[in-house]
Amino acid sequence: MISFESDYIAGAHPQVLKHLCETNLEVLSGYGSDIYCKTAADKIKKACECEDAEVFFLAGGTQTNSVVISTMLKDYEGVVAAVTGHVSAHEAGAIEYTGNKVLTIPQHDGKIDPKELEEYLRGFYADQNHEHMVFPGMVYISHPTEYGTLYSKQELEKISNICRAFEIPLFMDGARLGYGLMSKQTDVSLPDIARLCDVFYIGGTKVGALCGEAVVFTKNNTPKHFMTMVKQHGALLAKGRLLGVQFDALFTNDLYFEISRHAIEMAERLKDVLIEKGCTFYLESPTNQQFIVLEDKKLELLKGKVGYSFWEKADNTHTVIRLATSWSTKQEDIDKLSELL
Amino acid sequence: MISFESDYIAGAHPQVLKHLCETNLEVLSGYGSDIYCKTAADKIKKACECEDAEVFFLAGGTQTNSVVISTMLKDYEGVVAAVTGHVSAHEAGAIEYTGNKVLTIPQHDGKIDPKELEEYLRGFYADQNHEHMVFPGMVYISHPTEYGTLYSKQELEKISNICRAFEIPLFMDGARLGYGLMSKQTDVSLPDIARLCDVFYIGGTKVGALCGEAVVFTKNNTPKHFMTMVKQHGALLAKGRLLGVQFDALFTNDLYFEISRHAIEMAERLKDVLIEKGCTFYLESPTNQQFIVLEDKKLELLKGKVGYSFWEKADNTHTVIRLATSWSTKQEDIDKLSELL
Amino acid sequence: MISFESDYIAGAHPQVLKHLCETNLEVLSGYGSDIYCKTAADKIKKACECEDAEVFFLAGGTQTNSVVISTMLKDYEGVVAAVTGHVSAHEAGAIEYTGNKVLTIPQHDGKIDPKELEEYLRGFYADQNHEHMVFPGMVYISHPTEYGTLYSKQELEKISNICRAFEIPLFMDGARLGYGLMSKQTDVSLPDIARLCDVFYIGGTKVGALCGEAVVFTKNNTPKHFMTMVKQHGALLAKGRLLGVQFDALFTNDLYFEISRHAIEMAERLKDVLIEKGCTFYLESPTNQQFIVLEDKKLELLKGKVGYSFWEKADNTHTVIRLATSWSTKQEDIDKLSELL
Amino acid sequence: MISFESDYIAGAHPQVLKHLCETNLEVLSGYGSDIYCKTAADKIKKACECEDAEVFFLAGGTQTNSVVISTMLKDYEGVVAAVTGHVSAHEAGAIEYTGNKVLTIPQHDGKIDPKELEEYLRGFYADQNHEHMVFPGMVYISHPTEYGTLYSKQELEKISNICRAFEIPLFMDGARLGYGLMSKQTDVSLPDIARLCDVFYIGGTKVGALCGEAVVFTKNNTPKHFMTMVKQHGALLAKGRLLGVQFDALFTNDLYFEISRHAIEMAERLKDVLIEKGCTFYLESPTNQQFIVLEDKKLELLKGKVGYSFWEKADNTHTVIRLATSWSTKQEDIDKLSELL
């Protein structure tokens, strides 16, 4: 059986695993104070062209969103996000659990619109009752979004400028950042992101690691006693090396970018096959996640042969499914899918 | 200056204040264990035709919403509400502050639509990823709504049936309940509400008391150790008598209903004046809050002469304002307003 | 039946109630923006000899502790308190409920010892693992304490200096502050408190009001958007006048101090009676709460004749009870008690 | 340099790493639904002789304590723990952060005393004011404790019986459980623990894994929607296999017990050396952590040659340090230490 179920169906990229094995017997101190956390952070800062950045490693996406948002927001603030943003819809209320509201604005293929964001923020402060409401304290965007779409550099610049005008930080959820950076259709680079965002994270779990996300604070704005708050969230690993070593491997010899480029190439071929087979795309995605609308009958035929993700029912007889590529996708997987469609 | 700014611009109804004065020197034990809390609860149970009910007194609306919702929900649950519901929009994130998400559905003149509610609940459980989402654990409605509108008995029955089918409680925010019950256009009685809701509250602050809301659990469903949780919220008054005595007065000789009827009559006259003067209504409200769209120029003329609430900008030259009546509204106030318009 | 059960067994002092009645029909805006909240605040600032102070009104003691502590602490901080401090022992976990730990140190007749406080703080920062622990972010003292005892000016100065050395605020819970200020055995004045504390509150509920505590921020240190956070706690009264009017009365013509002095005088007479009757004091209290150890047999005889508070079992045959005086205690109550003992 | 700094200074036991490598390319579904999470759970249930148990995998100790305690407690409840319990002292307030109080009782070499526990619980319910206090809702013990000490079977039985009498669950933090089970001085087996505790966890991070703790609910008492709440805590790994595979290895061919036995043997030899060298033991520990009091001068000599943990200052010229063994400790490390002492 071939699988496009998600980008986290395989273990770690072999290079990442190799580095874990090679360093396994080294005696290293705990809680992120080891040398690999340091070298990984240095390599990331260099890749970001942001020597001032501060880099921390956490285990997963929801955890990272929860820790970053709750440590950066005041109690009276909420985080502005697209209604389809991961923090809004699919994190079991993790943001609210620690006390902050997600303030939703409309989504357009998973993205927020700079104009609508500005109107929302302006409207908030214009409202005479706004002291009885939750203050917008941060803007959250995912890039790629939950729908695989990307912001253009111009869009990011607009959003960043709005955030600065309203003096609130811009936070980018980069759980799949590699796929965004290696897309054929992007004009956004990692240094652009470091420049335009106040904080963002470079996803590892979905881009070749067993687990791990690298949080980058870019403006000397790490929340005070951040490590203590990571501990308070239950998110501080005793063997912090597990994350440091993996990111050290990912940011050595551009492995992170290579992995991502491979997944994008596989996604392009996948798209070609899907187009060739006359599939209807749910939306146009330039990254590793592709969304198509299939007849339920056809879907039935794929069961047991192809792994995919159910997305939502399109209508009574059609379903939207997601097919994802990753570092582990092989050309032959796509060939087999082509035969089955 | 006359004022229609809100229904909480005056102190307590004279009868309520009189009862506070008369009982002032009595030695009473604290924390709601006094005789007036008991007699008030008994009178309320009788008015609800629900002898099994359990009644508690809290100080204000947001506090009551916060306490009821957080004590009835599990951590993995959220409260379903109209996007304009008070808990969603105007409580400074009080619900999220103690960990629960407000799950918003569309509003129609401030109300939720039973069909849309059912679709939302059905859709939630049909979603294959729903274990990564916040479970709907309660339905919140306000009656009258924030726009002064009312549910019909049929609508309430539908909503109640849906809640029972999905085994989640129905919670009615009755901060202005009296005005709903005494509306000329309602077919909903207090016993209907007690029958159809699992928990609701009878607003005092906006209906003749200095402060106070009476929470009614109707189905032997008071959360365990409720009083301890009220204390934990900082909501347990040492002199619980302050609330008991006021509600004892409000539910003696139908004072609560009389007060509300007076406000409704005043609202009807107000509407007549507004219609007569050619005002544009923002929406049709059958209760004590009336919403009109005024030219900004006209509004300017009223400043310093008439108290009103800013609601929102209608467009660049018009504003929506709210005019509210209460027990303290006098016919002459309306006559003066008529002259000024 | 006479009662010394607590200092909140009667309603409001007649002058307070009178002021509520006189102002009842005035049209006043909501949420603490009325003129009485302003005049009351002004009078309090004057009494504190601290014109820069900012004064806010809340409804009760636990609520005030919860709001002040949670708005002043960061998530990684806790509040240092005596193990018998109200926030530690008798608030149903209100401080922890909103996320902050109470860091307890030993108590001595309800008080903390400056030397032990300093050792605790010094020890915390000396601990090499302190980043895995809760940072001390505030010191909480009650004055009078839960045992009726008082800090001397010298003690307060020491504690205040320690707090400044460690750059953490000193918060005084003054739920019974009047009784402390009017004690025959105190050298601490209200201006002293305003000078030495960063925030404190002047209790109304237990000193003549129906409800209400006046929070005083003395160092231009009101938490940002404090009103929004009060709302978020469910603690913002729509009719804020209820609190403003009462404190306006309490701080007119020194009523607050007069009430307190009366209670202290009654407590002194009570003590004389208790001494005369050979009662064993549990500890020496210079304020309105007196604690005695009674034989259970004797206690049995008082039941139904004298109201008192159970404090704790002293041993199998003796019980510690609390007798409290207040503005409403009369000489004849004490005479009757004398007969009964 | 040799190191006894902690039991998490090396990576994973080679067998654990090997299993990760062998399974790395297998396509597995996410969030703990993979086959290795299942087989690992089955093996653990068998080792516990508790076929009804439900087993979940989390990443670290603080995370596990936070998730278990917050999902099992009601808002009005706290967790009873020794004052030195990890949840009380060294988790940065993680328990309070999500709203529950840690109710501390005295410690004796890190353990709670059954008699004192019973007195505490009895006293709580006897207190007439207990509705204003935090209810004891769970008992937390660590085994081995933070001081390496162990409960006897008789002690565990007493504690378990007390918990049942008061109808609250007993939770054992087994972050170092293996070392407790393999101690020469224990009469407690894994099935005993499964029988006597309502929930406990088998530590992986400190016993041979890169990360991971196996939570075992033994009485059909898994909190409802546990997985959703794990997600809400940010604790649900997308690649759940990381935990499943490691525990599958640890519970194959008794690896977990072998690893632990090795560490205990090394600890015994370490003890012999320490005794031989005339070291003063801080307390008697039967597990892999040994605590000794060293002259600061002597300690100075070890710096750069031996890794150890600072525990606390004993006095002005002495320090308590901890030396820990693990699966990776070698006989030659101890020989070298012997030379250095």
Side-chain angles (χ1 to χ4, degrees):
Chain A
M1 178 173 159
I2 54 172
S3 181
F4 300 91
E5 191 186 335
S6 75
D7 31 25
Y8 43 88
I9 50 171
H13 185 276
Q15 287 294 105
V16 170
L17 201 51
K18 195 176 156 227
H19 203 34
L20 280 173
C21 292
E22 286 168 352
T23 60
N24 189 53
L25 295 182
E26 293 179 21
V27 169
L28 297 174
S29 59
Y31 304 113
S33 63
D34 63 275
I35 183 68
Y36 295 104
C37 283
K38 195 183 167 333
T39 55
D42 286 345
K43 289 171 185 177
I44 286 170
K45 289 194 270 183
K46 209 167 166 193
C48 292
E49 294 176 13
C50 181
E51 291 300 318
D52 276 355
E54 293 172 292
V55 182
F56 297 86
F57 301 101
L58 290 163
T62 297
Q63 181 176 89
T64 304
N65 288 332
S66 168
V67 168
V68 169
I69 291 171
S70 71
T71 58
M72 292 195 81
L73 289 188
K74 303 275 190 288
D75 284 352
Y76 54 84
E77 294 175 332
V79 55
V80 182
V83 73
T84 48
H86 209 251
V87 292
S88 167
H90 288 98
E91 299 194 342
I95 306 308
E96 292 83 3
Y97 183 59
T98 59
N100 296 109
K101 194 180 182 78
V102 180
L103 302 161
T104 51
I105 60 174
Q107 62 92 12
H108 306 278
D109 289 350
K111 300 196 292 178
I112 61 172
D113 178 77
K115 209 174 267 177
E116 287 174 359
L117 172 64
E118 191 169 14
E119 273 160 24
Y120 171 81
L121 293 171
R122 200 169 289 183
F124 176 81
Y125 287 101
D127 190 324
Q128 296 186 9
N129 293 314
H130 73 264
E131 292 213 337
H132 290 228
M133 296 161 73
V134 176
F135 283 68
M138 171 187 262
V139 172
Y140 164 96
I141 53 174
S142 39
H143 180 87
T145 68
E146 294 70 19
Y147 289 94
T149 52
L150 291 172
Y151 289 91
S152 68
K153 196 193 291 193
Q154 198 190 25
E155 285 171 330
L156 281 187
E157 272 169 352
K158 279 185 187 167
I159 292 171
S160 180
N161 286 338
I162 293 164
C163 285
R164 281 165 203 190
F166 284 90
E167 297 181 347
I168 56 178
L170 174 59
F171 170 36
M172 179 186 283
D173 172 338
R176 294 185 168 95
L177 191 58
Y179 307 129
L181 293 170
M182 292 298 107
S183 169
K184 313 284 188 200
Q185 292 160 59
T186 192
D187 59 351
V188 175
S189 68
L190 190 52
D192 288 335
I193 288 169
R195 179 173 52 87
L196 297 170
C197 295
D198 298 277
V199 55
F200 69 98
Y201 68 95
I202 302 171
T205 306
K206 288 162 182 165
V207 193
L210 284 166
C211 64
E213 322 292 313
V215 184
V216 187
F217 291 98
T218 63
K219 310 276 181 272
N220 288 309
N221 56 342
T222 305
K224 212 175 154 187
H225 295 305
F226 188 68
M227 182 190 141
T228 302
M229 301 224 276
V230 168
K231 176 89 181 173
Q232 192 173 59
H233 275 258
L236 190 65
L237 291 187
K239 294 184 182 168
R241 67 196 291 156
L242 170 59
L243 304 175
V245 168
Q246 291 186 90
F247 271 96
D248 190 59
L250 287 169
F251 279 82
T252 297
N253 296 329
D254 287 339
L255 179 63
Y256 189 76
F257 303 98
E258 252 181 52
I259 285 176
S260 302
R261 189 182 303 116
H262 172 80
I264 290 296
E265 273 162 21
M266 290 298 110
E268 292 294 325
R269 294 189 197 176
L270 174 66
K271 264 161 102 166
D272 290 346
V273 164
L274 295 170
I275 288 164
E276 196 187 299
K277 296 291 174 182
C279 291
T280 307
F281 285 81
Y282 178 60
L283 50 66
E284 159 67 13
S285 156
T287 58
N288 75 315
Q289 300 180 88
Q290 298 298 323
F291 299 83
I292 55 172
V293 188
L294 274 192
E295 258 194 295
D296 291 347
K297 283 181 203 165
K298 186 130 211 179
L299 204 53
E300 200 57 41
L301 296 175
L302 299 182
K303 272 192 186 156
K305 292 173 191 152
V306 179
Y308 62 84
S309 266
F310 167 90
W311 201 253
E312 61 183 45
K313 288 296 300 173
D315 60 38
N316 281 339
T317 57
H318 293 78
T319 298
V320 181
I321 65 163
R322 183 190 68 178
L323 301 174
T325 62
S326 76
W327 64 267
S328 68
T329 308
K330 292 186 294 272
Q331 174 65 33
E332 60 191 75
D333 298 338
I334 293 165
D335 295 343
K336 271 188 210 152
L337 178 68
S338 176
E339 286 166 33
L340 290 165
L341 278 173
Chain B
M1 177 173 160
I2 54 172
S3 182
F4 299 91
E5 190 186 334
S6 74
D7 31 24
Y8 43 88
I9 50 171
H13 186 276
Q15 286 295 104
V16 170
L17 201 53
K18 193 176 159 227
H19 203 33
L20 278 173
C21 293
E22 286 168 352
T23 60
N24 187 53
L25 295 181
E26 293 180 23
V27 169
L28 297 174
S29 57
Y31 304 112
S33 63
D34 64 275
I35 184 68
Y36 295 103
C37 283
K38 193 183 168 336
T39 56
D42 286 344
K43 289 170 186 176
I44 285 169
K45 289 194 269 184
K46 211 168 166 189
C48 292
E49 294 176 12
C50 182
E51 291 301 317
D52 277 355
E54 292 172 291
V55 182
F56 297 86
F57 301 101
L58 289 164
T62 297
Q63 181 175 91
T64 304
N65 287 332
S66 169
V67 169
V68 168
I69 291 171
S70 70
T71 58
M72 293 195 81
L73 289 188
K74 302 277 189 288
D75 284 350
Y76 54 84
E77 294 176 332
V79 56
V80 183
V83 71
T84 48
H86 209 253
V87 292
S88 167
H90 288 98
E91 299 194 344
I95 306 308
E96 291 83 3
Y97 183 59
T98 60
N100 296 109
K101 192 180 184 76
V102 180
L103 302 160
T104 51
I105 59 174
Q107 63 92 12
H108 306 277
D109 289 351
K111 300 197 292 178
I112 61 173
D113 177 77
K115 210 174 267 177
E116 288 175 357
L117 172 64
E118 191 168 14
E119 273 159 24
Y120 171 81
L121 294 171
R122 200 169 288 180
F124 175 81
Y125 287 101
D127 190 325
Q128 295 185 11
N129 294 313
H130 74 264
E131 293 212 337
H132 291 229
M133 295 161 72
V134 176
F135 283 69
M138 171 187 260
V139 172
Y140 165 96
I141 53 175
S142 39
H143 180 88
T145 67
E146 295 69 20
Y147 288 94
T149 53
L150 292 172
Y151 289 90
S152 68
K153 196 194 290 193
Q154 199 191 23
E155 286 171 328
L156 280 187
E157 272 169 351
K158 278 185 190 169
I159 292 171
S160 180
N161 286 338
I162 294 165
C163 286
R164 281 165 203 190
F166 284 90
E167 296 182 343
I168 57 178
L170 174 59
F171 170 37
M172 179 185 282
D173 172 337
R176 294 185 167 94
L177 191 59
Y179 307 129
L181 294 169
M182 291 300 107
S183 167
K184 312 285 187 200
Q185 291 159 61
T186 191
D187 60 350
V188 175
S189 69
L190 190 52
D192 288 334
I193 289 168
R195 179 172 54 84
L196 297 170
C197 296
D198 299 277
V199 54
F200 68 99
Y201 69 93
I202 301 172
T205 305
K206 288 161 184 167
V207 193
L210 284 165
C211 64
E213 321 293 312
V215 185
V216 187
F217 291 97
T218 62
K219 309 280 182 270
N220 288 310
N221 56 343
T222 306
K224 211 174 153 186
H225 296 305
F226 188 68
M227 182 190 142
T228 302
M229 300 224 277
V230 168
K231 176 89 182 174
Q232 192 173 58
H233 275 257
L236 190 66
L237 290 185
K239 293 184 181 169
R241 67 196 292 157
L242 170 59
L243 304 175
V245 168
Q246 291 185 90
F247 272 95
D248 190 60
L250 287 170
F251 279 83
T252 297
N253 297 328
D254 289 338
L255 179 62
Y256 189 76
F257 303 98
E258 253 181 50
I259 285 176
S260 303
R261 189 183 301 115
H262 172 80
I264 289 295
E265 274 162 19
M266 291 296 111
E268 292 293 326
R269 292 189 198 175
L270 174 66
K271 264 161 102 165
D272 290 345
V273 164
L274 295 171
I275 289 165
E276 198 186 299
K277 296 292 176 181
C279 290
T280 308
F281 285 81
Y282 177 62
L283 50 65
E284 158 67 15
S285 157
T287 60
N288 75 315
Q289 300 180 88
Q290 298 298 322
F291 299 83
I292 55 171
V293 187
L294 273 192
E295 259 195 294
D296 291 346
K297 284 181 203 167
K298 187 131 210 177
L299 204 54
E300 201 57 41
L301 296 175
L302 298 183
K303 272 192 186 156
K305 293 173 190 154
V306 179
Y308 62 84
S309 268
F310 167 89
W311 201 252
E312 61 183 44
K313 288 297 300 175
D315 58 39
N316 280 339
T317 56
H318 292 80
T319 299
V320 181
I321 65 164
R322 183 189 68 178
L323 301 173
T325 63
S326 77
W327 64 266
S328 67
T329 308
K330 294 184 295 271
Q331 174 63 37
E332 61 192 75
D333 298 339
I334 294 164
D335 295 344
K336 271 189 210 153
L337 177 68
S338 176
E339 287 166 30
L340 290 165
L341 279 174
Chain C
M1 177 171 159
I2 54 172
S3 182
F4 299 91
E5 191 187 335
S6 75
D7 31 24
Y8 44 89
I9 52 172
H13 186 277
Q15 287 293 105
V16 171
L17 201 52
K18 195 176 157 228
H19 203 34
L20 278 173
C21 292
E22 286 169 352
T23 59
N24 188 53
L25 294 182
E26 292 179 23
V27 169
L28 297 174
S29 56
Y31 303 112
S33 62
D34 63 275
I35 184 67
Y36 295 104
C37 283
K38 194 183 166 336
T39 55
D42 287 344
K43 288 170 185 176
I44 286 169
K45 289 194 270 184
K46 209 167 168 191
C48 292
E49 294 176 12
C50 182
E51 290 301 318
D52 275 355
E54 291 171 293
V55 182
F56 297 86
F57 301 102
L58 290 163
T62 297
Q63 181 175 90
T64 304
N65 287 332
S66 168
V67 169
V68 169
I69 292 171
S70 70
T71 58
M72 293 195 80
L73 289 188
K74 302 277 190 287
D75 284 351
Y76 54 84
E77 295 175 331
V79 56
V80 183
V83 72
T84 49
H86 209 252
V87 293
S88 167
H90 287 99
E91 299 194 344
I95 305 308
E96 291 83 3
Y97 183 59
T98 60
N100 296 108
K101 192 179 184 77
V102 180
L103 302 161
T104 52
I105 60 174
Q107 62 92 13
H108 306 277
D109 289 350
K111 301 196 292 179
I112 61 172
D113 177 79
K115 209 174 268 179
E116 288 174 358
L117 172 64
E118 191 169 14
E119 273 159 25
Y120 171 81
L121 294 171
R122 200 168 289 183
F124 175 81
Y125 286 101
D127 190 325
Q128 296 186 8
N129 294 312
H130 74 264
E131 292 213 337
H132 290 229
M133 295 161 72
V134 176
F135 283 69
M138 171 187 261
V139 172
Y140 165 96
I141 53 175
S142 38
H143 180 87
T145 68
E146 295 69 21
Y147 288 93
T149 53
L150 291 172
Y151 289 90
S152 68
K153 197 194 291 193
Q154 197 191 25
E155 286 171 328
L156 280 187
E157 272 168 352
K158 279 185 188 168
I159 292 172
S160 181
N161 286 338
I162 294 165
C163 286
R164 282 167 202 190
F166 285 90
E167 296 181 347
I168 57 177
L170 174 59
F171 170 38
M172 180 186 281
D173 172 338
R176 292 185 168 96
L177 192 58
Y179 307 129
L181 294 170
M182 292 298 108
S183 168
K184 312 285 188 201
Q185 291 159 60
T186 192
D187 60 352
V188 176
S189 68
L190 190 51
D192 288 334
I193 289 168
R195 177 172 55 85
L196 296 170
C197 296
D198 298 277
V199 54
F200 68 99
Y201 68 95
I202 301 171
T205 305
K206 288 162 182 165
V207 193
L210 284 166
C211 63
E213 321 293 313
V215 184
V216 186
F217 291 97
T218 62
K219 310 277 181 272
N220 288 309
N221 56 342
T222 307
K224 212 176 153 186
H225 296 306
F226 188 68
M227 182 190 143
T228 302
M229 301 223 276
V230 168
K231 177 88 182 174
Q232 192 174 58
H233 275 257
L236 189 66
L237 290 185
K239 293 184 182 170
R241 67 197 290 156
L242 170 58
L243 304 175
V245 168
Q246 291 185 90
F247 272 95
D248 190 61
L250 286 170
F251 279 82
T252 297
N253 296 330
D254 288 339
L255 179 61
Y256 189 76
F257 303 98
E258 252 181 52
I259 285 177
S260 303
R261 189 182 302 116
H262 172 80
I264 289 296
E265 273 160 22
M266 290 297 110
E268 292 293 325
R269 292 189 198 175
L270 174 65
K271 264 161 105 166
D272 290 346
V273 164
L274 296 171
I275 290 165
E276 195 186 302
K277 295 292 175 179
C279 291
T280 308
F281 285 81
Y282 178 62
L283 50 66
E284 159 67 15
S285 157
T287 60
N288 75 315
Q289 301 181 88
Q290 297 299 322
F291 299 83
I292 55 172
V293 187
L294 274 192
E295 258 195 294
D296 291 346
K297 283 180 202 165
K298 187 130 210 181
L299 203 55
E300 200 57 41
L301 295 175
L302 299 183
K303 273 194 185 153
K305 292 173 191 154
V306 179
Y308 62 85
S309 267
F310 167 90
W311 201 252
E312 62 183 45
K313 288 297 299 176
D315 59 38
N316 280 337
T317 57
H318 293 79
T319 299
V320 181
I321 66 165
R322 183 190 67 177
L323 300 173
T325 63
S326 77
W327 65 266
S328 68
T329 308
K330 292 186 295 271
Q331 174 64 34
E332 60 192 75
D333 298 339
I334 293 165
D335 295 344
K336 271 188 211 153
L337 178 68
S338 176
E339 287 165 31
L340 290 165
L341 279 173
Chain D
M1 178 173 158
I2 55 172
S3 182
F4 300 91
E5 190 186 335
S6 75
D7 31 23
Y8 43 89
I9 49 170
H13 186 276
Q15 286 294 105
V16 170
L17 201 53
K18 194 175 157 225
H19 204 32
L20 278 173
C21 293
E22 286 168 352
T23 60
N24 188 53
L25 295 182
E26 292 180 22
V27 169
L28 297 173
S29 57
Y31 304 112
S33 63
D34 64 275
I35 183 67
Y36 295 104
C37 283
K38 196 185 166 332
T39 55
D42 287 345
K43 289 170 186 176
I44 286 169
K45 289 194 268 183
K46 210 167 165 192
C48 293
E49 294 177 12
C50 183
E51 291 300 318
D52 276 355
E54 291 172 293
V55 182
F56 297 86
F57 301 102
L58 290 163
T62 297
Q63 182 176 88
T64 304
N65 287 332
S66 169
V67 169
V68 168
I69 291 171
S70 71
T71 58
M72 293 195 80
L73 289 188
K74 302 275 190 288
D75 284 350
Y76 54 84
E77 293 175 333
V79 56
V80 182
V83 72
T84 48
H86 209 252
V87 292
S88 167
H90 288 98
E91 299 193 345
I95 306 308
E96 292 82 3
Y97 183 59
T98 60
N100 296 109
K101 193 181 184 78
V102 180
L103 302 160
T104 51
I105 60 174
Q107 63 92 12
H108 306 278
D109 289 351
K111 300 197 292 178
I112 61 172
D113 178 78
K115 209 174 266 177
E116 287 175 358
L117 172 64
E118 190 168 15
E119 273 160 23
Y120 171 80
L121 294 170
R122 200 170 287 182
F124 175 82
Y125 287 102
D127 190 324
Q128 296 186 10
N129 294 314
H130 73 265
E131 294 212 337
H132 291 229
M133 294 161 73
V134 177
F135 283 69
M138 172 187 261
V139 172
Y140 165 96
I141 53 175
S142 38
H143 181 87
T145 67
E146 294 69 20
Y147 290 93
T149 53
L150 292 172
Y151 289 90
S152 69
K153 197 193 291 193
Q154 198 190 25
E155 285 171 330
L156 281 187
E157 271 168 353
K158 279 185 188 166
I159 292 171
S160 180
N161 285 339
I162 293 165
C163 285
R164 281 167 202 189
F166 284 91
E167 296 182 346
I168 56 178
L170 174 59
F171 170 37
M172 179 186 282
D173 172 337
R176 294 185 167 94
L177 192 57
Y179 307 128
L181 294 169
M182 291 299 107
S183 167
K184 313 284 189 202
Q185 292 160 61
T186 191
D187 61 349
V188 175
S189 69
L190 189 53
D192 288 334
I193 289 168
R195 178 173 54 85
L196 296 170
C197 295
D198 299 276
V199 55
F200 68 99
Y201 68 95
I202 302 172
T205 306
K206 289 163 182 164
V207 194
L210 284 166
C211 64
E213 321 293 313
V215 185
V216 186
F217 291 98
T218 62
K219 309 276 182 271
N220 288 309
N221 56 343
T222 306
K224 212 176 155 186
H225 296 304
F226 187 67
M227 183 190 141
T228 302
M229 300 223 277
V230 169
K231 176 90 181 173
Q232 193 174 58
H233 275 257
L236 190 65
L237 291 185
K239 294 185 182 169
R241 67 197 291 156
L242 170 60
L243 305 174
V245 168
Q246 291 186 91
F247 271 95
D248 190 59
L250 287 170
F251 279 83
T252 298
N253 296 329
D254 288 338
L255 179 62
Y256 189 77
F257 303 98
E258 252 180 52
I259 286 176
S260 303
R261 190 183 302 116
H262 172 80
I264 290 296
E265 273 160 21
M266 290 298 109
E268 292 294 325
R269 291 189 199 175
L270 174 66
K271 264 161 103 165
D272 290 345
V273 164
L274 295 170
I275 289 165
E276 198 187 299
K277 296 291 175 183
C279 291
T280 308
F281 284 82
Y282 179 61
L283 50 65
E284 157 68 15
S285 156
T287 59
N288 74 315
Q289 300 181 88
Q290 297 299 322
F291 300 83
I292 55 171
V293 188
L294 274 192
E295 258 194 294
D296 290 347
K297 284 180 202 166
K298 186 130 211 179
L299 204 53
E300 200 57 42
L301 295 175
L302 298 182
K303 270 191 190 160
K305 294 173 190 156
V306 180
Y308 61 85
S309 267
F310 168 90
W311 200 253
E312 62 183 45
K313 287 296 299 175
D315 59 38
N316 280 338
T317 56
H318 292 78
T319 299
V320 182
I321 64 164
R322 183 189 68 177
L323 301 173
T325 63
S326 76
W327 64 267
S328 66
T329 308
K330 292 185 294 274
Q331 174 65 35
E332 60 191 75
D333 299 338
I334 293 165
D335 295 344
K336 271 188 212 154
L337 178 68
S338 177
E339 288 164 31
L340 291 166
L341 278 174

